[in-house]
């Protein structure tokens, strides 16, 4: 319809952002009714997500372990129910955009450096893209921006907080200008405001009482066990951040805000739609970092529990500590052996060069 001259919101009642429809209109110009261009875009977005996942994992684990972690990430995310219960959904295109925000946050913690203004500008660009695809998914970047802004003030860097906000808004504006021009030239700005913004916020609430919304909330919660491995990784990442990661308490709170706000608002409150949960895949790479620690604890707990049925001479805590040490040593040995070949090759190469 867009290729034939019709305009979203003015001529077509549509609920998502105009950028998403432009993407499919471009596909139509190139491929007609076939979706080859869309498939290519989805592959690029999936690859970008995995590349950023590698960058996150590689902040904490060696190169080869990080590659293994990316493989596990791909299996978990791309076989999840959230990925397969839709098609061409906005969440697929926005997943790498969220993951970039998480990467710069974790990189800042790992390297103990402030998030740069250029990174803030890129976040603004990505937030702008998300706004014109599906603005309800801006929850993640809203939480991230607020946390960074507050942290600059806590560090007594008010000027940097203001500059970060300015760079972020400039990025969003640059993405928004072409969309506004397109809608403005076609006299569809008012229609966009009424349908894309107001109707999406208030239109669905009409005729739904509080009880109905509560029931829908719990139905949405039922999607969590259906995406078991996605949410296990999110749980692992939270455990790792709070129990293991040696950073200031406020950074643990920031990470909790990022995960919980995304989960509560995007995955539950927005409605009972399966593919909404795909955005939680953003946190899977950090869950992979936590995997060795959490697996060691789970194995130790099961060993200590199993032994307790036969042998009660030692307290549970003691049995657990012994089992944890053994499990942790075994996992570390596996990872060290897994990375050893690459290091050996590097050393041989260095000796040869010498």
């Amino acid at each position: 319809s867009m290729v034939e001259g019709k305009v979203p919101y003015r001529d077509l009642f549509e609920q998502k952002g105009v950028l998403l429809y432009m993407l499919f209109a471009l596909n139509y110009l190139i491929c007609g009714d076939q979706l080859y261009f869309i498939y290519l875009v989805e592959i690029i977005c999936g690859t970008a997500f995995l590349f950023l996942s590698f960058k996150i994992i590689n902040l904490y684990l060696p190169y080869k372990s990080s590659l293994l972690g990316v493989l596990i990430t791909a299996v978990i995310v791309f076989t999840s129910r959230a990925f397969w219960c839709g098609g061409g959904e906005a969440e697929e295109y926005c997943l790498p955009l969220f993951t970039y925000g998480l990467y710069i946050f974790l990189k800042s913690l790992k390297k103990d450096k402030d998030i740069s203004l250029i990174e803030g500008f890129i976040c603004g660009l990505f937030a702008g893209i998300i706004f014109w695809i599906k603005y309800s998914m801006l929850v993640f970047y809203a939480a991230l921006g607020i946390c960074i802004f507050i942290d600059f003030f806590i560090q007594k860097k008010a000027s940097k907080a203001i500059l970060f906000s300015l760079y972020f808004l400039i990025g969003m504006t640059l993405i928004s200008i072409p969309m506004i021009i397109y809608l403005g030239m076609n006299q569809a700005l008012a229609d966009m405001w009424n349908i894309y913004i107001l109707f999406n916020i208030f239109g669905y609430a009409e005729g739904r009482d509080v009880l109905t919304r509560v029931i829908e909330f719990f139905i949405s919660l039922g999607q969590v066990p259906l995406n078991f491995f996605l949410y296990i990784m999110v749980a692992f990442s939270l455990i790792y951040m709070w129990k293991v990661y040696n950073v200031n308490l406020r950074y643990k709170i920031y990470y909790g805000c990022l995960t919980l706000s995304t989960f509560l608002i995007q995955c539950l409150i927005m409605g009972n739609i399966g593919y909404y949960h795909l955005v939680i895949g953003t946190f899977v790479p950090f869950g992979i970092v936590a995997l060795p620690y959490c697996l060691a604890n789970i194995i130790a707990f099961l060993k200590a529990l199993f032994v307790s049925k036969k042998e009660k001479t030692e307290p549970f805590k003691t049995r657990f500590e012994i089992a944890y040490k053994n499990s942790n040593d075994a996992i570390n040995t596996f990872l060290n052996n897994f990375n050893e070949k690459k290091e050996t090759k590097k050393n041989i190469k260095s000796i040869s060069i010498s």
Side-chain angles (χ1 to χ4, degrees):
S1 296
M2 288 176 71
V3 172
E4 292 171 358
K6 292 184 179 179
V7 181
Y9 317 122
R10 188 194 72 186
D11 306 316
L12 306 162
F13 183 88
E14 292 295 352
Q15 299 157 299
K16 292 190 175 73
V18 68
L19 184 57
L20 185 64
Y21 298 116
M22 286 180 172
L23 181 66
F24 278 80
L26 182 58
N27 177 91
Y28 184 77
L29 282 171
I30 298 170
C31 307
D33 291 336
Q34 301 301 314
L35 292 174
Y36 301 130
F37 177 73
I38 291 296
Y39 297 153
L40 177 62
V41 172
E42 289 175 346
I43 290 167
I44 291 169
C45 289
T47 304
F49 165 67
L50 292 179
F51 172 74
L52 289 165
S53 297
F54 171 80
K55 298 284 281 183
I56 289 172
I57 298 167
N58 199 216
L59 288 171
Y60 305 92
L61 299 178
Y63 177 81
K64 287 188 76 176
S65 293
S66 299
L67 289 179
L68 178 61
V70 170
L71 178 61
I72 298 170
T73 300
V75 170
I76 289 172
V77 174
F78 298 143
T79 63
S80 66
R81 183 179 187 277
F83 186 80
W84 286 98
C85 67
E89 300 300 346
E91 286 74 10
E92 291 182 59
Y93 310 114
C94 295
L95 189 57
L97 309 185
F98 297 130
T99 310
Y100 175 79
L102 182 64
Y103 167 64
I104 64 162
F105 172 77
L106 292 173
K107 186 180 75 167
S108 171
L109 298 192
K110 181 66 177 175
K111 299 188 176 181
D112 196 23
K113 288 175 63 177
D114 290 341
I115 291 171
S116 70
L117 296 178
I118 295 300
E119 288 170 335
F121 172 75
I122 295 170
C123 285
L125 287 176
F126 289 168
I129 292 170
I130 292 167
F131 178 85
W132 291 103
I133 289 178
K134 186 178 176 183
Y135 74 85
S136 62
M137 292 196 295
L138 275 175
V139 173
F140 173 86
Y141 268 110
L144 180 64
I146 291 168
C147 289
I148 294 170
F149 186 82
I150 290 171
D151 198 61
F152 279 137
F153 266 98
I154 290 173
Q155 296 182 62
K156 298 180 180 178
K157 298 177 181 177
S159 60
K160 197 161 186 179
I162 294 166
L163 278 173
F164 175 85
S165 303
L166 184 62
Y167 272 68
F168 188 92
L169 290 172
I170 289 170
M172 281 197 76
T173 303
L174 283 177
I175 293 297
S176 300
I177 286 171
M179 311 302 151
I180 292 170
I181 289 172
Y182 167 75
L183 293 169
M185 287 178 65
N186 288 284
Q187 289 145 10
L189 279 172
D191 299 297
M192 183 276 292
W193 176 257
N194 289 327
I195 295 171
Y196 182 50
I197 304 295
L198 296 182
F199 184 84
N200 273 328
I201 295 173
F202 304 108
Y204 293 103
E206 291 179 8
R208 292 161 67 208
D209 56 24
V210 176
L211 180 60
T212 302
R213 294 181 197 175
V214 170
I215 292 169
E216 287 178 352
F217 178 88
F218 282 102
I219 292 173
S220 300
L221 198 59
Q223 291 286 341
V224 172
L226 296 177
N227 291 285
F228 180 77
F229 291 106
L230 274 182
Y231 281 102
I232 279 291
M233 288 299 114
V234 177
F236 283 0
S237 75
L238 285 166
I239 290 167
Y240 189 80
M241 177 61 75
W242 281 88
K243 297 286 288 182
V244 180
Y245 211 155
N246 186 25
V247 289
N248 191 289
L249 177 62
R250 69 178 185 271
Y251 297 117
K252 297 176 188 286
I253 294 171
Y254 296 155
Y255 185 77
C257 288
L258 287 175
T259 52
L260 293 177
S261 61
T262 303
F263 172 59
L264 288 173
I265 298 174
Q266 175 62 31
C267 301
L268 298 185
I269 293 174
M270 288 299 173
N272 179 32
I273 299 179
Y275 53 76
Y276 282 6
H277 292 255
L278 184 60
V279 297
I280 213 71
T282 302
F283 304 98
V284 168
F286 193 50
I288 297 297
V289 174
L291 191 58
Y293 170 80
C294 292
L295 276 181
N297 274 278
I298 292 168
I299 292 167
F301 177 81
L302 291 174
K303 278 185 176 180
L305 198 64
F306 178 76
V307 169
S308 66
K309 294 178 180 178
K310 294 182 177 179
E311 186 181 330
K312 297 184 178 178
T313 54
E314 295 287 344
F316 180 84
K317 185 179 178 183
T318 305
R319 293 196 306 272
F320 174 80
E321 287 172 354
I322 294 169
Y324 174 76
K325 185 180 183 307
N326 292 336
S327 302
N328 194 48
D329 289 346
I331 290 170
N332 284 330
T333 300
F334 168 78
L335 290 175
N336 289 335
N337 290 337
F338 188 75
N339 289 286
E340 195 174 45
K341 281 188 180 179
K342 185 171 180 67
E343 293 302 319
T344 303
K345 286 179 182 177
K346 276 186 181 177
N347 293 335
I348 291 169
K349 191 175 180 183
S350 300
I351 292 166
S352 301
I353 290 167
S354 300

